[in-house]
Amino acid sequence: MNAVKHPSPLEDEALSLSPVDRALRMPLHEQVAADIRRAIADGEASPGERIPQAKDLAAVLGVNTNTVLRALRLLREEGLLELGRGKAITVAGTPERGAVLARMNELLDFARRQGYGRDELITMMQSLPQ
């Protein structure tokens, strides 16, 4: 797979993305999310910077725009991206921050299954020694 340098509609900005590999068993939206995650980790886009619109990313990656939107929502849930009004997509954090947020969501889900609410979990965490 060769990386494609994709100029965004914004001047002086580009992400080096690879077309998805349909032979992989990984769902397409997860491949797209992984590629964007890698680009952010490699410093191609820093927190606060905008990335190309979903339709432009879809054209470069060879997938449907809805596939890209699903990947972007996943990255938003991880805390990596902010999806603004209109079509603005901004890098919100680093992959490390995204990984911590993912683990926190897992912990919150586990706590809920054990009968604890969010506020109770926060109180428990605050009582831990630093």
Side-chain angles (χ1 to χ4, degrees):
M1 244 188 303
N2 294 333
V4 176
K5 203 67 165 175
H6 171 66
S8 79
L10 306 171
E11 288 185 20
D12 300 325
E13 184 182 357
L15 293 179
S16 177
L17 302 175
S18 302
V20 298
D21 184 350
R22 294 181 187 280
L24 291 178
R25 291 189 159 204
M26 178 187 284
L28 297 179
H29 75 280
E30 289 181 15
Q31 288 185 50
V32 171
D35 207 19
I36 295 170
R37 221 181 268 117
R38 185 229 18 100
I40 293 170
D42 287 351
E44 294 175 28
S46 301
E49 289 184 25
R50 292 176 67 178
I51 65 170
Q53 296 176 5
K55 66 178 181 152
D56 296 324
L57 292 171
V60 168
L61 298 168
V63 295
N64 185 288
T65 302
N66 288 327
T67 300
V68 173
L69 290 171
R70 190 171 177 191
L72 295 175
R73 284 191 297 272
L74 179 64
L75 295 171
R76 179 188 63 199
E77 291 170 9
E78 292 176 11
L80 277 178
L81 297 179
E82 288 179 2
L83 306 180
R85 291 187 174 208
K87 299 175 183 176
I89 305 166
T90 308
V91 176
T94 63
E96 295 81 10
R97 182 176 187 271
V100 170
L101 284 173
R103 294 292 188 266
M104 289 174 66
N105 282 323
E106 290 173 11
L107 176 59
L108 184 56
D109 288 342
F110 177 76
R112 285 183 183 137
R113 288 192 304 272
Q114 303 305 314
Y116 293 95
R118 182 176 182 260
D119 292 337
E120 292 172 296
L121 185 59
I122 290 170
T123 301
M124 292 166 72
M125 289 182 71
Q126 289 174 336
S127 69
L128 292 173
Q130 292 189 23

